[in-house]
Amino acid sequence: MIVNVQFWSFFKELAGCDRSSFNVSPGTTVGQLQDLIAARFPKLSGLRGSTLVAVGVDYQPAHHVLSENDLISIFPPVQGG
Amino acid sequence: MRRQLSIGSELIDEAVLIARRDASHGIGAALCFSGLVRGSEDSVQIGGIEYEAFSEMATHQFHRLFDELERRWPMIESVRLVHRVGWVPVGESSLWLEVLSPHRAESFAAGQWLIDEMKRVVPIWKRIQKG
């Protein structure tokens, strides 16, 4: 199944793009997708400890199971205000 | 609780916002906070800050915070919050918040809590631009 990933803030520069699609197996979790993202975009791999992940408009933990056509957002700590 | 949220690039006009205040006669505290862009970051002079927002998620997360704020402080009558995105030069306001409540304690507490939580969960980022 296809899931789509979008990058925000300086993660866009590190990834070299603002979006990417991944073909993953049903049952793939957020954590497993992060492994795939790190493999495709090595500059992001060292930042995993501070990376925030949302599916749609809600934060999700590593064990969250993805669905077909999910939009996953990957970004650094937020800094509003 | 009434809530009003705006995330946009327009200048924050505090006078206009205050003129539009809608407070019942039960309100005794109107807490207003402005977050201004400082002229330096980490001792380096800057010209301003470029704010980027994931607007759809930011709106959703703000409304989750408003829901929680209402649960924690049910006496609060109104919350209005404006956050700028795009380029904000030094000295201008990037954030404006108003909390209306019968007494000051809940307005101060709720306003502090809301800004702290915003900085934890609302997807808005800064990009410092040197002066």
Side-chain angles (χ1 to χ4, degrees), chain A residues 8-75:
Chain A
W8 291 92
S9 185
F10 66 86
F11 279 20
K12 282 185 283 197
E13 282 78 52
L14 293 177
C17 61
D18 57 8
R19 281 185 178 239
S20 190
S21 293
F22 289 79
N23 193 348
V24 299
S25 305
T28 297
T29 64
V30 162
Q32 290 166 332
L33 176 65
Q34 284 188 276
D35 294 339
L36 299 174
I37 293 169
R40 188 181 296 181
F41 302 103
K43 289 181 180 175
L44 292 173
S45 60
L47 298 168
R48 187 157 170 176
S50 59
T51 295
L52 300 177
V53 181
V55 179
V57 292
D58 283 305
Y59 291 99
Q60 296 295 350
H63 60 77
H64 176 82
V65 176
L66 299 171
S67 299
E68 174 100 43
N69 293 322
D70 269 347
L71 178 59
I72 297 98
S73 295
I74 305 289
F75 49 83

Side-chain angles (χ1 to χ4, degrees), chain A residues 12 57-59 78-81, chain B residues 51-52 60 83 119 121 124:
Chain A
K12 282 185 283 197
V57 292
D58 283 305
Y59 291 99
V78 302
Q79 308 167 290
Chain B
Y51 286 89
E52 177 190 14
H60 175 72
H83 202 303
K119 288 178 174 289
V121 301
I124 297 174

Side-chain angles (χ1 to χ4, degrees), chain A residues 8-10 52 59 75-81, chain B residues 41-42 49-53 62 83-84 94-95 115-128:
Chain A
W8 291 92
S9 185
F10 66 86
L52 300 177
Y59 291 99
F75 49 83
V78 302
Q79 308 167 290
Chain B
E41 284 283 333
D42 299 325
I49 295 177
E50 181 81 22
Y51 286 89
E52 177 190 14
F62 268 127
H83 202 303
R84 277 178 83 179
S94 58
L95 172 69
I115 292 171
D116 287 346
E117 287 298 294
M118 175 196 75
K119 288 178 174 289
R120 194 176 66 81
V121 301
V122 175
I124 297 174
W125 301 273
K126 299 175 179 178
R127 200 177 293 258
I128 306 295

